[in-house]
Amino acid sequence: MHMVQQTLSAKTRQQGHMPLLSPVAHRRGMHAPLYAAIDLGTHNCRLLIARAGAQGLRVIDSFSRAVRLGEGLHRTGQLADPAMERTLAALRACVARMGLYDLHGHRAIATEACRRAGNGLDFLSRVLNETGLNISIISAREEAELALAACTSLLQDSRGTTGRGLLFDIGGGSTEIAWARIDRHAGRHDLSGYVSLPVGIMTLGERDGADIFSDAGYSATVAEISSVLRGFDDVHCIAREIVRQNVMLLGTSGTVTTLASLALGQARYDRASIDGTSLSVPRALGIIDSLRRGGMDGLMRNPVIGPERARYIMPGCAIFEAIVTTWPLAEVTVADRGLRDGLLLRMIGDRKRRGGLSAAPSSLPLYSRMEHRVSS
């Protein structure tokens, strides 16, 4: 077991998942408890195994598979049998990989597909029976909070002691927008409000099809999303804060990391160069125009995108464009991190504060099609 951990640790260092530590810090880190987090989304099933490191998380192992759990969901309101079988296979792989490690704790969550599907809870009961994995459905608010928690170091790494953070996470079945107050002197941030849009790369991809490549279809999708975002802006006066140069824009999703990779001219995606980088918004919009002109064939041939992701890139780009044109900032800070990172940091933080794991929040099966909340 120890040798497995050492081998995987060396591999993740080479891939840029964590900083190299001094020998003393390395020995101390090897004794820190291991945690695992699973994020079951509409499009992907992801696992991350890590322990606390000198700077954030020390990643030991990871797994990701495109399961397309939400395939056809917008038409039927149900999870389809083939999608559930694909997802079960991926979850069995996650459980098998977790079994290689002496874990101090783990948590598994499900998001939009299981929130929306009429048979979402039944599917998770089947997962529990067949794999022993207890997956809880989280609310859109907790999804926003976890995304913010994952990006804490990026939110704190900026000039000024106070400010605002606007974070977006373009998912498979929904897009989360979080508006936060940042107190860098205290090293904390607070969620002021959030909105969950029931549109993601899969829902738009299935709904719009080839229309997303036409000028009229693409523009209509951008306008549709922008109208919802303007309502959120009316509540929180985000545009006013942008005029005051008081807002940091962060993006965490496959769409924004892909755009950043293309902006850097990478032949293959390199996480170490992407996480925390600044993406010029005009440059990103120029790349989107180029991708649209290249059509589906061009997307499939692109080494950073490839055939499996080609049909979902333009829907994500439409959501991205709606966000950056509603809130016109010059650049986006790109985060190659997500809900798994937030879960792990929360579990580690709970242990530090309480000397043990806190109980996971209960599942939240009730979900309205559009969530919009303001914290008190």
Side-chain angles (χ1 to χ4, degrees):
M1 184 76 69
H2 183 65
M3 289 301 295
V4 170
Q5 288 185 356
Q6 284 184 321
T7 301
L8 289 168
S9 296
K11 182 178 180 181
T12 50
R13 278 199 301 272
Q14 293 167 3
Q15 293 174 341
H17 288 290
M18 56 191 169
L20 289 171
L21 303 179
S22 67
V24 172
H26 175 74
R27 288 193 297 271
R28 186 184 305 120
M30 289 300 293
H31 296 291
L34 270 177
Y35 295 91
I38 293 176
D39 169 19
L40 177 57
T42 302
H43 187 258
N44 289 295
C45 176
R46 298 183 175 99
L47 164 71
L48 194 64
I49 298 173
R51 54 167 48 98
Q55 300 176 24
L57 294 174
R58 182 177 177 81
V59 176
I60 303 302
D61 200 357
S62 65
F63 170 87
S64 180
R65 183 178 296 173
V67 295
R68 305 188 309 281
L69 178 61
E71 193 169 59
L73 176 60
H74 80 286
R75 294 190 306 271
T76 67
Q78 302 286 316
L79 301 177
D81 289 338
M84 290 189 286
E85 292 300 328
R86 288 193 300 266
T87 303
L88 272 167
L91 290 170
R92 290 189 187 102
C94 290
V95 171
R97 192 165 296 203
M98 290 164 61
L100 298 173
Y101 303 95
D102 182 16
L103 297 176
H104 187 79
H106 73 274
R107 189 175 173 203
I109 59 168
T111 55
E112 177 70 2
C114 290
R115 280 197 297 253
R116 188 184 300 186
N119 58 345
L121 288 175
D122 290 339
F123 172 63
L124 295 185
S125 295
R126 181 184 170 192
V127 170
L128 178 61
N129 290 333
E130 295 188 18
T131 71
L133 192 62
N134 189 10
I135 303 178
S136 60
I137 301 175
I138 64 170
S139 68
R141 181 186 178 101
E142 184 172 3
E143 198 169 341
E145 290 172 339
L146 288 171
L148 280 172
C151 295
T152 295
S153 62
L154 298 177
L155 289 167
Q156 298 297 326
D157 186 20
S158 185
R159 289 173 293 180
T161 57
T162 60
R164 291 285 193 165
L166 180 63
L167 180 144
F168 63 89
D169 181 5
I170 303 170
S174 66
T175 295
E176 318 305 324
I177 308 288
W179 178 235
R181 292 186 183 90
I182 308 170
D183 185 341
R184 297 185 180 94
H185 180 73
R188 60 173 291 171
H189 60 263
D190 299 299
L191 181 66
S192 300
Y194 70 95
V195 61
S196 178
L197 284 65
V199 290
I201 62 170
M202 283 196 67
T203 49
L204 285 183
E206 293 184 2
R207 187 195 74 178
D208 294 351
D211 288 346
I212 198 73
F213 288 95
S214 70
D215 289 341
Y218 184 85
S219 297
T221 299
V222 172
E224 173 192 354
I225 299 165
S226 297
S227 66
V228 179
L229 298 178
R230 284 193 295 272
F232 186 66
D233 185 84
D234 289 342
V235 173
H236 297 285
C237 303
I238 299 170
R240 184 179 65 189
E241 293 296 321
I242 290 174
V243 171
R244 295 175 177 174
Q245 299 184 334
N246 196 35
V247 179
M248 178 182 187
L249 181 63
L250 294 93
T252 168
S253 67
T255 298
V256 71
T257 56
T258 298
L259 289 173
S261 180
L262 293 171
L264 292 174
Q266 294 181 345
R268 289 187 177 183
Y269 184 80
D270 176 23
R271 180 195 182 275
S273 304
I274 299 300
D275 186 49
T277 194
S278 293
L279 172 63
S280 161
V281 169
R283 172 73 171 133
L285 293 177
I287 291 171
I288 291 172
D289 285 342
S290 177
L291 294 176
R292 287 177 56 203
R293 289 194 301 271
M296 180 62 76
D297 289 342
L299 293 174
M300 293 177 69
R301 290 194 304 268
N302 190 301
V304 176
I305 299 171
E308 287 190 3
R309 300 176 58 221
R311 65 179 295 195
Y312 301 119
I313 286 296
M314 293 320 301
C317 287
I319 298 170
F320 174 87
E321 185 160 337
I323 292 168
V324 298
T325 53
T326 301
W327 296 301
L329 286 148
E331 62 183 31
V332 180
T333 298
V334 180
D336 187 342
R337 52 185 83 182
L339 304 186
R340 297 173 301 170
D341 305 73
L343 285 169
L344 290 165
L345 290 168
R346 181 178 286 182
M347 286 187 282
I348 291 168
D350 285 344
R351 183 177 186 273
K352 288 179 179 178
R353 286 189 297 271
R354 301 181 180 91
L357 288 174
S358 62
S362 60
S363 296
L364 299 168
L366 299 179
Y367 173 68
S368 60
R369 187 165 169 78
M370 176 68 71
E371 288 206 22
H372 180 188
R373 301 286 186 271
V374 181
S375 60
S376 56

